[in-house]
């Protein structure tokens, strides 16, 4: 079976290491649409020469399992439209978040992605103690920013808005050093040879298969978007099973995107986006991780404008869950939040830095499509020390 491509770069932009190959590596493809653009003036780089970044490495040491009782802090991963790069922010109380690099990227999309940009990052801790991160390989302003000569990687009339091929899979044992693989679903699976996209990948542990399940949004050519799941290999460098649809929406012509699945009380709760008018967040529930989700017509988010990218996380030591989402229907965009204890009623607690909202972004603005994971205070401090930004 062919694998996703794996690459090595250093933790400091401007240095170089020789790349290594994964067994049965897919040969690089050549895309005329991605030839170097002829720009009249070079754009400013996303990160400065020599600026510290997360380190991409060929292999990892052993992971260590940390009890959930010690995971009282929070790590938020997000991206920004202006850089199409990755960011981390930490919090000790789940209300005030501080970017670990003072609002600068901690991993440049230009350094790791075929399209020179990343979107939709998701992060989680596996039962093995390792950390798993997944992102979309896509730059929606690639032509404007002189990293692509065409508006999209492939013609929009054939493959739709924002078409892309790769998802990025990353794994770490310390949050600082990560393996990286580019996974092209259209080349791995014949049934998806005409896939128009691979958006917003997320990961959850599947106890039935004892593997990490990766679920994401796709479509066939320029058709409606739908959500599928596949199993990853142990190294988290490729997908091993043909993606399978995980939700049957009652109106197949409606785009359904951005699934976020959490196991709560023996049931799997999926929050996702249905592109009704306006786009809103819905909920579905199943006894099985990858099928059998029951449609619920109720709109969940409290917004009156379009929202996407739901992500559910629990406040440490409580029965309160926070539903976070990207409010892209406002200018400038912001993250919105609602709390629930019963998954029936959701209390609006506002957006970052709104008057009266307890949610604060202390040193950054306009985060997009974020995800929050529980970490220990020591793990949060390690990231903060690495980037050298005082709290």
């Amino acid at each position: 079976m062919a694998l996703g491509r794996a690459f090595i770069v250093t933790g400091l932009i401007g240095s170089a290491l020789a790349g290594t190959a994964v067994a049965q590596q897919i040969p690089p493809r050549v895309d005329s649409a991605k030839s170097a653009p002829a720009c009249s003036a070079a754009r400013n780089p996303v990160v400065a020469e020599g600026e510290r970044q997360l380190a991409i490495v060929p292999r990892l040491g052993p992971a260590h399992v940390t009890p959930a009782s010690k995971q009282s802090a929070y790590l938020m991963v997000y991206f920004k439209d202006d850089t199409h790069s990755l960011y981390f922010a930490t919090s000790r109380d789940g209300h005030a978040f501080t970017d670990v690099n003072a609002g600068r990227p901690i991993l440049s999309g230009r350094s790791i992605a075929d399209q020179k940009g990343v979107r939709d990052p998701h992060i989680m801790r596996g039962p093995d103690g390792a950390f798993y991160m997944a992102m979309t390989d896509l730059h929606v302003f690639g032509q404007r920013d002189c990293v692509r000569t065409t508006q999209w990687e492939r013609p929009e009339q054939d493959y739709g808005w924002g078409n892309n091929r790769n998802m990025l899979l990353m794994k770490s044992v310390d949050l600082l050093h990560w393996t990286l693989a580019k996974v092209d679903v259209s080349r791995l699976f014949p049934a998806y040879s005409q896939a128009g996209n691979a958006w917003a990948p997320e990961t959850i542990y599947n106890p039935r298969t004892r593997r990490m399940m990766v679920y994401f949004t796709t479509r066939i050519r320029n058709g409606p978007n739908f959500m599928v799941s596949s199993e990853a290999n142990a190294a988290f460098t490729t997908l091993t099973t043909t993606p399978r649809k995980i939700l049957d929406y009652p109106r197949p012509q409606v785009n359904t995107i951005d699934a976020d699945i959490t196991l709560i009380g023996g049931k799997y709760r999926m929050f996702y986006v249905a592109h009704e008018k306006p786009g809103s967040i819905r909920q579905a529930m199943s006894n099985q991780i990858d099928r059998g989700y029951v449609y619920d017509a109720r709109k969940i988010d409290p917004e009156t404008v379009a929202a996407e990218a739901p992500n559910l996380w629990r406040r440490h030591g409580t029965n309160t869950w926070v539903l976070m989402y990207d409010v892209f229907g406002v200018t400038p965009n912001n993250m919105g939040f609602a709390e629930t204890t019963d998954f029936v009623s959701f209390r609006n607690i506002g957006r970052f830095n709104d008057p009266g909202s307890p949610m604060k972004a202390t040193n950054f603005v306009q985060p997009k499509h974020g995800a929050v994971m529980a970490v220990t205070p020591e793990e949060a401090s390690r990231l903060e020390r690495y980037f050298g930004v005082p709290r």
Side-chain angles (χ1 to χ4, degrees):
M1 176 180 294
L3 300 181
R5 290 165 290 153
F7 297 83
I8 299 176
V9 299
T10 61
L12 295 180
I13 299 301
S15 301
L17 286 176
T20 60
V22 173
Q24 297 179 288
Q25 181 181 9
I26 295 176
R29 58 173 178 261
V30 177
D31 294 321
S32 60
K34 294 174 60 184
S35 58
C39 296
S40 57
R43 294 264 177 181
N44 290 330
V46 172
V47 298
E49 182 81 7
E51 184 173 345
R52 176 155 284 191
Q53 301 274 278
L54 295 181
I56 307 301
V57 297
R59 61 190 63 85
L60 302 171
H64 302 282
V65 176
T66 302
S69 60
K70 295 185 177 181
Q71 299 170 29
S72 61
Y74 307 84
L75 172 63
M76 183 174 78
V77 58
Y78 66 98
F79 85 99
K80 292 184 182 181
D81 262 338
D82 61 344
T83 64
H84 275 71
S85 292
L86 185 69
Y87 299 78
F88 280 173
T90 53
S91 175
R92 299 306 192 277
D93 63 4
H95 290 101
F97 284 81
T98 300
D99 190 284
V100 301
N101 202 23
R104 296 283 296 161
I106 50 90
L107 191 58
S108 164
R110 294 193 184 193
S111 70
I112 62 171
D114 271 6
Q115 288 208 29
K116 308 304 180 185
V118 297
R119 300 175 69 86
D120 318 327
H122 178 263
I123 192 168
M124 68 158 290
R125 187 194 305 262
D128 58 352
F131 302 98
Y132 295 85
M133 191 156 53
M135 292 178 281
T136 307
D137 183 330
L138 173 63
H139 198 314
V140 302
F141 305 122
Q143 187 178 41
R144 182 200 70 182
D145 289 352
C146 299
V147 298
R148 188 169 57 240
T149 59
T150 56
Q151 184 177 11
W152 303 116
E153 194 174 34
R154 292 169 291 175
E156 183 173 356
Q157 65 269 23
D158 297 326
Y159 292 97
W161 182 95
N163 64 76
N164 77 309
R165 289 188 172 97
N166 293 337
M167 66 179 70
L168 304 180
L169 300 183
M170 302 181 67
K171 184 177 180 179
S172 176
V173 297
D174 63 2
L175 294 173
L176 302 178
H177 302 84
W178 296 81
T179 59
L180 168 68
K182 300 177 183 179
V183 179
D184 182 342
V185 174
S186 69
R187 304 189 77 185
L188 281 175
F189 305 108
Y192 288 86
S193 63
Q194 293 300 307
N197 61 2
W199 286 349
E202 294 199 8
T203 307
I204 186 173
Y205 178 69
N206 186 340
R208 179 173 52 83
T209 62
R210 297 183 180 179
R211 290 289 179 91
M212 306 307 292
M213 186 183 91
V214 178
Y215 53 101
F216 57 97
T217 299
T218 191
R219 61 175 175 249
I220 302 303
R221 292 181 67 85
N222 197 13
N225 291 294
F226 56 96
M227 301 172 296
V228 298
S229 70
S230 176
E231 300 294 316
N233 66 336
F236 205 59
T237 57
T238 193
L239 302 180
T240 62
T241 59
T242 300
R244 171 178 173 151
K245 194 173 184 180
I246 55 175
L247 176 71
D248 290 314
Y249 197 74
R251 293 177 291 283
Q253 73 278 10
V254 173
N255 290 303
T256 53
I257 67 172
D258 292 355
D260 180 81
I261 300 172
T262 307
L263 177 63
I264 303 170
K267 302 283 188 180
Y268 291 96
R269 291 189 179 272
M270 177 199 295
F271 291 89
Y272 67 98
V273 177
H275 277 179
E276 304 284 5
K277 295 182 180 180
S280 60
I281 296 169
R282 309 293 177 97
Q283 180 180 195
M285 193 165 62
S286 177
N287 293 322
Q288 302 179 78
I289 194 171
D290 59 353
R291 66 196 74 182
Y293 285 91
V294 177
Y295 169 74
D296 186 334
R298 289 174 294 178
K299 176 180 179 292
I300 296 299
D301 67 275
E303 298 290 339
T304 59
V305 296
E308 63 181 5
N311 177 245
L312 187 73
W313 47 278
R314 186 175 65 87
R315 294 202 181 278
H316 180 74
T318 75
N319 193 36
T320 298
W321 293 82
V322 180
L323 181 66
M324 182 175 73
Y325 38 85
D326 184 341
V327 189
F328 71 97
V330 294
T331 304
N333 68 278
N334 202 346
M335 302 301 295
F337 302 86
E339 290 183 336
T340 186
T341 57
D342 59 9
F343 295 95
V344 176
S345 60
F346 290 79
R347 183 174 69 92
N348 184 9
I349 59 172
R351 305 168 187 160
F352 269 142
N353 300 332
D354 274 357
S357 174
M359 304 304 298
K360 307 297 180 185
T362 66
N363 64 345
F364 61 100
V365 295
Q366 292 185 254
K368 288 193 63 63
H369 203 121
V372 171
M373 175 185 70
V375 295
T376 67
E378 292 76 17
E379 289 166 341
S381 295
R382 182 194 307 151
L383 279 168
E384 294 155 2
R385 289 194 303 269
Y386 181 80
F387 289 98
V389 176
R391 287 181 56 82

